[in-house]
């Protein structure tokens, strides 16, 4: 007990009607992060006397417990009593934004600015609201005003860098991130630009940010391109990010649930913003269609926009109930999931773009599972009880690197849609390829490339005359130019880099058949790009590392029976790719075998994958129903079941 708390308790004991003492006792408890007790004492003060300061601090305690609606009501009552500071309007704007009341949030941010035109934080918050609404010119003006008022704010610079990044003004974004000392973002921008100069020093500064106890939050997904990233550091970054973004939800009481523990069918909820996204569609649709309706009651919880009519049609034929959570706050979304009686909630996003882990932080289901979207630990044990992997991406020996309990599928953790079409192979000319010559390919995002990997690829181009390297066209021209300069500096004609435009999935898979050999990236490897290549019958060479994200290629290859394409280090990777490029008979045989066994291989046998996934879900629920604590004890599914 603090001295302040002891003092106010004595005052209250002598004078129970002293509202100021009651209020200050509540403030003391708030500072101690005992929010429920803080709310109790401040409410007692308010029962005696209605004072704006009491209501404002009550609102703070309610917001800290994710009771956003009640906090809004308290702020509005405070404003109604008398004139307020800009901070009150700003805080109310933040809550209304969280509650999806965009116009109300904007009105309060502008009221905060009208009250105090020098209140930089309100300008910044208004800018973020306008950015989300697509009013980018206005957003940039507001954010520049915030930076004029507080030019050294790391938070403002981070927000401005993020805005510039979204606008694909990457050089400007890099400069702004650098001014704010946000080295994790600087390295990510440089990798997107394929600008690898001075990256070693920048990576070292970024790692210092990740591991320092005094550092603020850093990104999570964007760290994956850094060669020195460890699983421990990645987990730590995840935890800090979660606490910064969803701290109130993580501190709030768990959502009351209505679960029928004796139900004959397990009720599984899938949570994502990407159900209509092409990449998710071509991974997950087959599993959702093949779920056993007799044993599993499937619910799809979407908080993203509708993007693909094809998936709309497929949803209608799935044994699943679709729920649109996009208008809901985190609390309302969690309440709906809890009221639906979900046994296991499967989060498909993790820390990928658009994620709303505030929903899972409120614990709307007894068992929460992280799967598919994010290759790593979320870092905070409340966000997920399990992470689904396999013996390659998440070996049992890696369990200490995860806040989640490992759940290992017998083959590969990645699902695939057995119904997706490959299309007829186009001509090389139609695909922009030369009529002759070996075709290496890597259709990964540019941030996964680095100087070491590209140097190996240059060695392959030098060793195989007339060969080309087929890449996906980067979103910015500068990145392509940097890649051309890199190969030219090594005496290679830059025309041997062939860039391919983005195409719909069926057309992309059709042209992908023209490639001879796929080259995996490191340390962040191919995920869907890897399974796309293998589906098209293109062998892929990979080398695993210590991260989940660096081991996916090896998992994919094991699941299609091509373990011999996994190399142990960079030199072995080069020698393996070179030997295959020089041995067309061996490569053709490997390709023919892969195509012949495609649908029967564990990677593309969607029905078998779905049955294994259901067995994992059932095993998780058996553990939960037993009442025993299995936290940290890996759940390893046997191959036969």
């Amino acid at each position: 007990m603090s001295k302040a708390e002891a003092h106010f308790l004595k005052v209250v004991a002598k004078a129970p009607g002293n509202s100021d003492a009651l209020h200050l006792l509540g403030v003391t408890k708030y500072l101690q992060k005992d929010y429920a007790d803080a709310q109790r004492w401040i409410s007692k003060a308010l029962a005696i006397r209605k004072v704006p300061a009491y209501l404002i601090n009550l609102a703070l305690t309610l917001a800290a417990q994710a009771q956003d609606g009640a906090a809004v009501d308290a702020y509005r009552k405070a404003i109604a009593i008398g004139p307020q500071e800009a901070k009150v309007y700003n805080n109310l704007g933040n809550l209304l934004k969280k509650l999806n009341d965009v116009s109300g949030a904007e009105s309060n941010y502008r009221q905060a600015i009208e009250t105090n035109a020098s209140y930089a934080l309100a300008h910044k918050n208004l800018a973020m609201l306008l950015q989300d609404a697509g009013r980018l010119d206005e957003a940039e003006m507001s954010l520049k005003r915030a930076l004029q008022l507080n030019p050294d704010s790391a938070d403002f610079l981070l927000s401005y860098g993020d805005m510039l990044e979204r606008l694909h003004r990457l050089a400007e974004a890099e400069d702004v991130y650098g001014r704010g000392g946000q080295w994790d973002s600087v390295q990510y921008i440089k990798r997107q630009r394929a600008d690898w100069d001075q990256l070693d020093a920048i990576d070292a500064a970024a790692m210092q940010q990740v591991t320092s106890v005094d550092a603020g939050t850093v990104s999570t997904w964007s760290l994956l391109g850094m060669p020195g990233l460890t699983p421990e550091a990645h987990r730590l970054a995840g935890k800090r990010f979660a606490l910064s973004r969803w701290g109130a939800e993580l501190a709030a009481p768990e959502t009351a649930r209505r679960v029928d523990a004796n139900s004959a069918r397990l009720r599984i909820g899938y949570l994502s913003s990407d159900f209509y996204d092409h990449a998710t569609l071509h991974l997950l649709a087959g599993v959702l269609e093949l779920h056993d309706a007799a044993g599993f009651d499937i619910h799809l919880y979407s908080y993203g926009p509708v993007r693909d009519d094809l998936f709309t049609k497929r949803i209608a034929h799935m044994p699943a109930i679709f729920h649109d959570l996009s208008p809901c706050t985190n609390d309302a979304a969690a309440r709906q999931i809890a009221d639906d009686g979900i046994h296991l909630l499967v989060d498909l996003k993790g820390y990928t773009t658009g994620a709303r882990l505030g929903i899972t932080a409120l614990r709307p289901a007894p068992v929460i599972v992280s799967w598919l979207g994010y290759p790593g630990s979320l870092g905070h044990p409340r966000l997920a009880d399990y992470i689904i992997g396999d013996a390659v991406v998440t070996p049992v020996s890696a369990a200490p690197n995860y806040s989640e309990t490992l759940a290992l599928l017998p083959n590969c953790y990645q699902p695939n849609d057995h119904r997706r079409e490959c299309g007829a192979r186009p001509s090389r000319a139609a695909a922009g390829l030369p009529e002759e010559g070996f075709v290496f390919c890597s259709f990964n995002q540019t941030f996964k490339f680095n100087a070491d990997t590209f140097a190996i690829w240059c060695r392959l181009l030098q060793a195989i005359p007339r060969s080309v390297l087929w890449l996906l066209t980067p979103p910015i021209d500068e990145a392509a130019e940097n890649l051309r300069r890199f190969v030219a500096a090594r005496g290679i004609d830059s025309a041997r880099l062939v860039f391919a435009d983005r195409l719909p999935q069926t057309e992309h898979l059709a042209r992908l058949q023209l490639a001879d050999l796929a080259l995996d990236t490191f340390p962040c490897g191919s995920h869907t790009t890897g399974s796309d290549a293998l589906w098209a019958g293109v062998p892929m060479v990979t080398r695993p590392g210590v991260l989940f994200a660096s081991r996916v290629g090896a998992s994919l290859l094991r699941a299609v029976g091509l373990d011999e394409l996994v190399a142990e280090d960079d030199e072995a990777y080069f020698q393996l790719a070179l030997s295959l490029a020089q041995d067309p008979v061996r490569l053709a045989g490997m390709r023919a075998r892969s195509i012949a066994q495609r649908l029967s291989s564990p990677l593309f046998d969607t029905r078998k994958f779905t049955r294994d996934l259901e067995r994992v879900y059932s095993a998780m629920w058996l553990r939960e129903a037993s009442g025993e604590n299995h936290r940290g004890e890996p759940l390893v599914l046997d191959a036969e079941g």
Side-chain angles (χ1 to χ4, degrees):
M1 181 185 297
S2 69
K3 290 183 180 179
E5 181 183 351
H7 170 73
F8 291 125
L9 281 170
K10 288 180 182 179
V11 174
V12 168
K14 292 180 180 179
N18 187 328
S19 62
D20 286 338
L22 290 165
H23 169 243
L24 290 172
L25 180 56
V27 171
T28 301
K29 300 298 288 186
Y30 173 83
L31 294 173
Q32 295 173 354
K33 298 186 178 181
D34 186 349
Y35 301 124
D37 217 21
Q39 178 185 342
R40 180 169 67 89
W41 289 112
I42 295 173
S43 296
K44 286 186 176 183
L46 281 164
I48 298 169
R49 192 158 59 105
K50 295 290 188 295
V51 176
Y54 297 1
L55 287 161
I56 291 167
N57 286 325
L58 176 65
L60 290 172
T61 67
L62 292 166
Q65 299 173 83
Q67 297 180 38
D68 299 326
V72 166
D73 184 59
Y75 275 129
R76 284 176 169 161
K77 286 179 179 177
I79 290 170
I81 291 175
Q84 297 297 335
E85 298 177 1
K87 183 177 180 180
V88 175
Y89 291 110
N90 179 72
N91 289 354
L92 178 54
N94 289 340
L95 286 170
L96 292 171
K97 178 183 176 182
K98 192 176 177 184
L99 292 168
N100 295 327
D101 183 353
V102 176
S103 62
E106 180 177 351
S107 175
N108 276 276
Y109 290 144
R110 294 194 183 280
Q111 185 63 50
I113 293 167
E114 183 177 330
T115 304
N116 180 3
S118 298
Y119 188 32
L121 185 58
H123 287 282
K124 180 259 186 181
N125 288 335
L126 176 61
M128 296 299 95
L129 186 79
L130 295 171
Q131 175 182 270
D132 292 343
R135 295 156 63 182
L136 299 178
D137 290 342
E138 295 175 79
E140 186 169 3
M141 287 177 60
S142 291
L143 197 44
K144 282 183 173 180
R145 177 58 179 151
L147 281 164
Q148 286 173 352
L149 294 165
N150 192 350
D152 297 324
S153 168
D155 178 53
F156 293 2
L157 289 166
L158 176 61
S159 296
Y160 191 32
D162 178 68
M163 181 182 295
L164 292 167
E165 189 175 347
R166 294 189 190 195
L167 293 168
H168 299 293
R169 291 157 57 184
L170 297 190
E172 293 177 71
E174 181 182 325
D175 177 68
V176 169
Y177 284 139
R179 284 165 51 199
Q182 204 70 33
W183 302 114
D184 60 308
S185 297
V186 172
Q187 64 82 23
Y188 184 54
I189 292 292
K190 287 182 75 68
R191 287 185 161 91
Q192 290 182 78
R193 297 173 61 204
D195 175 8
W196 304 320
D197 292 338
Q198 301 179 328
L199 260 182
D200 288 346
I202 292 169
D203 284 350
M207 280 300 299
Q208 177 65 25
Q209 274 188 293
V210 173
T211 57
S212 172
V213 294
D214 299 322
T217 58
V218 298
S219 55
T220 52
W221 174 265
S222 62
L223 297 174
L224 289 171
M226 292 171 49
L229 183 67
T230 64
E232 297 87 353
H234 202 218
R235 172 180 171 173
L236 177 61
K239 181 178 182 179
R240 288 178 174 170
F241 186 81
L243 288 169
S244 70
R245 183 67 61 88
W246 299 290
E249 287 87 349
L250 287 167
E254 293 189 5
T255 306
R257 301 181 286 260
R258 301 176 184 173
V259 178
D260 180 2
N262 299 312
S263 173
R265 294 198 303 165
L266 268 186
R267 190 162 290 184
I268 308 296
Y270 289 100
L271 179 66
S272 180
S273 64
D274 290 340
F275 286 114
Y276 294 93
D277 181 74
H278 290 278
T280 300
L281 165 63
H282 291 289
L283 286 178
L284 198 60
V287 170
L288 296 177
E289 289 173 333
L290 292 172
H291 264 309
D292 177 13
F296 296 86
D297 182 8
I298 305 300
H299 294 250
L300 309 181
Y301 294 98
S302 173
Y303 51 85
V306 176
R307 300 178 187 170
D308 191 340
D309 291 338
L310 172 62
F311 198 48
T312 304
K313 295 173 184 175
R314 292 187 73 170
I315 283 177
H317 297 93
M318 290 178 182
I321 300 172
F322 187 83
H323 307 267
D324 181 11
L325 300 183
S326 57
C328 298
T329 64
N330 290 340
D331 184 65
R335 168 54 46 210
Q336 179 173 338
I337 294 167
D339 288 347
D340 288 341
I342 297 298
H343 296 92
L344 279 83
L345 180 64
V346 184
D347 173 60
L348 299 170
K349 290 288 292 179
Y351 291 126
T352 56
T353 302
R356 285 177 57 184
L357 289 179
I359 298 172
T360 52
L362 291 169
R363 301 291 306 181
V367 179
I368 297 177
V369 182
S370 177
W371 178 47
L372 193 58
Y374 181 70
S377 176
L378 299 178
H380 197 295
R382 179 155 157 158
L383 291 175
D385 303 295
Y386 292 92
I387 181 171
I388 293 178
D390 58 55
V392 176
V393 294
T394 53
V396 170
S397 60
N401 300 326
Y402 291 83
S403 60
E404 305 86 356
T405 296
L406 301 183
L408 274 56
L409 290 170
N411 297 297
C412 182
Y413 85 102
Q414 187 193 91
N416 278 279
D417 180 14
H418 62 297
R419 289 179 54 188
R420 59 179 170 167
E421 299 178 2
C422 224
R425 182 190 312 207
S427 68
R428 288 173 66 119
L433 293 167
E435 289 299 329
E436 296 181 352
F438 194 90
V439 179
F440 296 104
C441 77
S442 183
F443 281 86
N444 287 289
Q445 297 178 63
T446 310
F447 93 91
K448 296 185 181 183
F449 300 160
N450 56 55
D452 289 342
T453 299
F454 232 80
I456 294 174
W457 295 352
C458 286
R459 289 172 62 194
L460 290 170
L461 292 175
Q462 288 169 330
I464 307 297
R466 296 189 300 169
S467 62
V468 296
L469 177 57
W470 200 15
L471 307 170
L472 192 64
T473 301
I476 58 170
D477 294 339
E478 179 191 10
E481 289 304 314
N482 284 337
L483 294 174
R484 290 189 181 100
R485 275 194 291 270
F486 186 90
V487 300
R490 282 150 184 79
I492 299 169
D493 184 355
S494 62
R496 292 174 69 185
L497 294 186
V498 179
F499 291 98
D501 293 335
R502 296 178 183 274
L503 291 177
Q505 182 77 1
T506 300
E507 295 175 45
H508 171 62
L509 291 173
R511 71 176 175 189
L512 195 50
Q513 298 171 86
L514 296 168
D516 294 301
L517 183 64
L519 300 173
D520 202 3
T521 48
F522 181 86
C524 186
S526 303
H527 290 54
T528 55
T529 50
S531 52
D532 283 350
L534 295 171
W535 179 257
V538 181
M540 178 177 70
V541 174
T542 190
R543 61 146 301 193
V546 295
L547 297 172
F548 185 132
S550 68
R551 303 178 68 83
V552 174
S555 175
L556 298 174
L557 289 167
R558 183 188 70 148
V560 293
L562 293 174
D563 303 70
E564 66 265 37
L565 297 184
V566 180
E568 62 181 16
D569 56 32
D570 283 350
E571 185 58 28
Y573 172 99
F574 168 74
Q575 294 295 342
L576 178 55
L578 179 63
S579 66
L580 289 169
Q582 293 174 332
D583 191 346
V585 174
R586 179 188 174 197
L587 189 60
M590 192 177 290
R591 184 173 191 136
R593 176 162 52 95
S594 177
I595 293 173
Q597 298 175 354
R598 182 167 60 191
L599 289 178
S600 62
S601 72
L603 183 62
F604 299 120
D605 186 344
T606 311
R607 187 174 299 278
K608 176 64 166 61
F609 180 94
T610 307
R611 298 290 85 80
D612 287 340
L613 185 65
E614 291 170 345
R615 288 198 293 130
V616 163
Y617 291 159
S618 296
M620 290 174 179
W621 185 250
L622 280 175
R623 282 186 171 188
E624 176 68 18
S626 74
E628 299 175 5
N629 182 9
H630 291 276
R631 189 90 194 192
E633 179 184 334
L635 196 168
V636 182
L637 199 68
D638 62 89
E640 299 301 325

